């Protein structure tokens, strides 16, 4: 096996081990020694890929961003315009995917937040861009943001295991959040007519 292939395999093994540790033991147990033990890599080999724990966390977040970018592209390709609010529909679907993912991005992000809050600056910037798109495509920007925030809240409650909702209830609520027909005033046809100007 050539060096680039071996290096990529070691990198993947380290990241898989880090996610396993975060999911199983919590972010406080994530150390380079623990990653080396879990992955079967030598500590020196691991440090060749990741000089410190922050580098591991940053790589986890970047991996998760790529996963959700791919998910979003696939969703948009299948869903089309989604009733005129494609970015909102995509972001609601991503929130639902957060729950379905085996090793959750939320666990990696919580680990990153606990260790180094500045690592989440990119996530906040991406969310700000997405919200600008959601507002721009909506006839009622506040309602669109509320739907996005509700989906994100449902996902986070489920991931933190504090949600009292059953999986079937979550599925139904996510579908309702995505369905524009459930939200009066969302389409252009249902916007109120402008007030006539006064003489």
């Amino acid at each position: 096996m050539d060096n680039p292939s071996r290096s990529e395999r070691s990198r993947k093994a380290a990241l898989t081990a880090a996610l396993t540790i975060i999911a199983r033991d919590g972010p406080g147990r994530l150390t380079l020694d623990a990653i080396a033990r879990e992955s079967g890599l030598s500590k020196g080999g691991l440090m060749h890929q990741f000089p410190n724990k922050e580098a591991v966390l940053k790589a986890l977040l970047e991996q998760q961003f790529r996963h959700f970018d791919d998910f979003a592209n696939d969703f948009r390709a299948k869903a089309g315009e989604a009733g005129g609010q494609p970015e909102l529909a995509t972001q609601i679907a991503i929130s639902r995917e957060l729950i379905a993912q085996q090793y959750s991005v939320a666990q990696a992000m919580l680990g990153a937040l606990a260790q180094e809050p500045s690592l989440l600056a990119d996530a906040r910037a991406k969310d700000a861009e997405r919200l600008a798109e959601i507002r721009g495509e909506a006839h009622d920007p506040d309602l669109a943001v509320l739907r996005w925030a509700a989906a994100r809240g449902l996902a986070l409650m489920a991931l933190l295991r504090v949600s009292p909702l059953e999986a079937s209830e979550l599925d139904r609520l996510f579908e309702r959040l995505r369905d524009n027909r459930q939200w009066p005033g969302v389409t252009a046809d249902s916007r109120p007519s402008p007030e006539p100007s006064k003489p």
Side-chain angles (χ1 to χ4, degrees), residues 81-111:
E81 285 298 304
Q85 295 189 53
E87 188 59 28
L88 176 60
T90 301
Q91 294 307 314
I92 291 170
I94 285 173
S95 291
R96 183 68 185 101
E97 173 67 6
L98 280 169
I99 299 170
Q101 194 182 16
Q102 181 182 5
Y103 292 113
S104 169
V105 64
Q107 291 168 327
M109 292 178 81
L110 289 174

Side-chain angles (χ1 to χ4, degrees), residues 106-156:
Q107 291 168 327
M109 292 178 81
L110 289 174
L113 181 60
Q115 302 301 315
E116 185 55 55
S118 66
L119 290 176
L120 294 177
D122 287 344
R124 282 190 297 271
K126 284 180 185 250
D127 273 347
E129 289 174 18
R130 290 177 187 123
L131 278 176
E133 287 182 53
I134 288 169
R135 286 183 177 109
E137 71 187 12
H139 297 291
D140 184 340
D142 288 344
L143 180 59
V145 170
L146 282 170
R147 289 168 63 193
W148 170 84
R152 188 64 66 90
L154 286 172
L156 289 174

Side-chain angles (χ1 to χ4, degrees), residues 5 24-25 45-47 61-63 75 95 109 111 122 141 158:
S5 298
R24 183 185 64 217
D25 306 326
L46 175 63
M47 292 183 74
L61 292 175
E62 289 169 356
Q63 176 180 291
F75 179 84
S95 291
M109 292 178 81
D122 287 344

